[in-house]
Structure formats: C-alpha cells, structure tokens
Amino acid sequence: MKKWFIVFFLFVITLFQSLQTVSAETVEWKERADLPEPRVGASSGVVDGKIYVIGGGTVKSGTYGNQTFVYDPKTNEWTKKADMPTERGGAATVTVDGKI
C-alpha cells in the first residue's frame, strides 16, 4: 500500500512540475544591456536591487580578472566599479545585510 501511495505522490508532483514549465514559457523576455565584457567563472550578488558581477575571466584571455561590474535594472546600465586587489575566478559570494 505504501509503495502505491509513493508512486501516486511522485506522479502528482511530476504533473505539477510540467504545468509550471508551461506557464514559465508564457513569460515575455526583454533584451537588456549587455555586460561590458563577457565573463566566465564570475560570481554574483544582489544588493539594493542591483546585480554585481565579480571577477571571472574572458574566454579569449583564459585568465581570471579582478573587475567588478554592477547592473542597475532601473536605468538598464552597467557600471564598472573598483577593481579587487586580487584576481578571482570560480569564487563563491554571499550577500548578508546588504553587503556582498
């Protein structure tokens, strides 16, 4: 009996997941400003509604950088912020109390 209940429960979850996917496809996407430089292995965080992209590198150079960019969705603009003291790639970030 428990086995059938589990199978039924998994079936219901699968059904609802597929319905969520259908509704997600109806969302319209808008093209926004491109990041000034393509980044690979960058970390990111959000503070006050602005998106920060930190470190990472470019595919061409094959090395990581110390750049920080911030995107403001209200103005649809990217701004370069102060460079980090050292280069970072594949790092993790966390936002706590409005600080990355």
Side-chain angles (χ1 to χ4, degrees), residues 7-29:
V7 170
F8 177 74
F9 182 72
L10 292 174
F11 174 75
V12 171
I13 290 174
T14 304
L15 180 65
F16 282 115
Q17 288 295 330
S18 64
L19 292 176
Q20 289 177 351
T21 303
V22 171
S23 64
E25 291 174 358
T26 62
V27 175
E28 287 188 39
W29 289 88

Side-chain angles (χ1 to χ4, degrees), residues 61-72:
S61 71
T63 60
Y64 293 119
N66 61 346
Q67 298 87 359
T68 301
F69 296 97
V70 62
Y71 175 73
D72 186 348

Side-chain angles (χ1 to χ4, degrees), residues 26-44:
T26 62
V27 175
E28 287 188 39
W29 289 88
K30 294 180 183 178
E31 191 167 330
R32 307 300 281 174
D34 288 333
L35 185 63
E37 301 174 3
R39 310 305 290 168
V40 175
S43 59
S44 62

